[in-house]
Amino acid sequence: MAQLKTKRSCKLLCQTNSPSCKLSCSQLFQPLLSIILVSSIASSAVAETETGVLTITDANWTVTMDGEWMIKFVAPWCPACAQLKEQWERFSSLAAAMGVSVGEVDVTEQPGLSGRFLVTTLPTIFHVKEGSVRRYVSVREAEEFHAYVSNRRWEEVEPLPSWKSPTSPLMSCMAGLFRLSLWIRWTHGYLTWDLGMPVWGSYLSFAMATLVTGLLMGLVLVLVADCLCPSRQKRKEERAVSMAEKRQASEADEGEGSNEEEPETLRQRRGQAKRTS
């Protein structure tokens, strides 16, 4: 369907005698379609570097929940991470023989994963075995990494509890918060550098957006709470209305009873009057 549409658009362009219609339709659009196809495949696949270290992203991190993995979280500006790079690449070559996958996460590009795994220090290394996550806290050398996996030393380490697991709803919320922080930082840079807005103007914009968002969320919460748990005043009014209705009903019943009793009283009075006469 996409090629049919592109051919039609190319024919229309040729009919206008435009000088830009010198290339054939396939030459014009096939490179673009190939780029889109390659980018869509790459977003869902795990990229492997020349050293065998796999790049983990927000789009493919779920593959680490299957099999056995060693994953490190690093940043380009971290000196300790740069020192660990050589040892990690050596360990990657050793781990291939054991059937262990070795991954790497750049927290500057994947802030959501740093929140999902609750990374607070760099570099941080995790061992993952069939979805069970453990933090590696031993010596950062290739031989130690190899011994940690081959000798099953990870069994001596307590895994992360279920609520701190990367697949838990709480950690998913943490990932969203970390992505939001990155978006705020990017927006601040766009406002100050690209648009030339002063820093105080950017801060004021965020403050106003936060205020408006808070007011809207508060209004929604108040409406929901009022529907679920009515206020005392509303309860009193409802009770007063129900009591008034009950009183009216009882008065109506009494009125009907008095109307039925009235003929009997009249008959009794007439009988007494006849006797006296």
Side-chain angles (χ1 to χ4, degrees), residues 26 32 36-37 67 76 142 168 194 220 227 234 245 253 265 268-269:
S26 60
L32 180 60
I36 295 173
L37 180 62
S168 66
D194 296 348
V220 172
C227 293
K234 191 173 183 180
E245 292 177 352
D253 293 339
T265 55
Q268 291 176 358
R269 290 178 182 175

Side-chain angles (χ1 to χ4, degrees), residues 13 16-23:
L13 187 62
T16 57
N17 297 324
S18 173
S20 61
C21 190
K22 293 181 180 180
L23 295 175

Side-chain angles (χ1 to χ4, degrees), residues 122-137:
L122 294 175
T124 298
I125 301 173
F126 289 100
H127 173 267
V128 184
K129 177 72 171 179
E130 301 297 341
S132 182
V133 183
R134 294 171 173 85
R135 185 167 180 171
Y136 178 86
V137 292

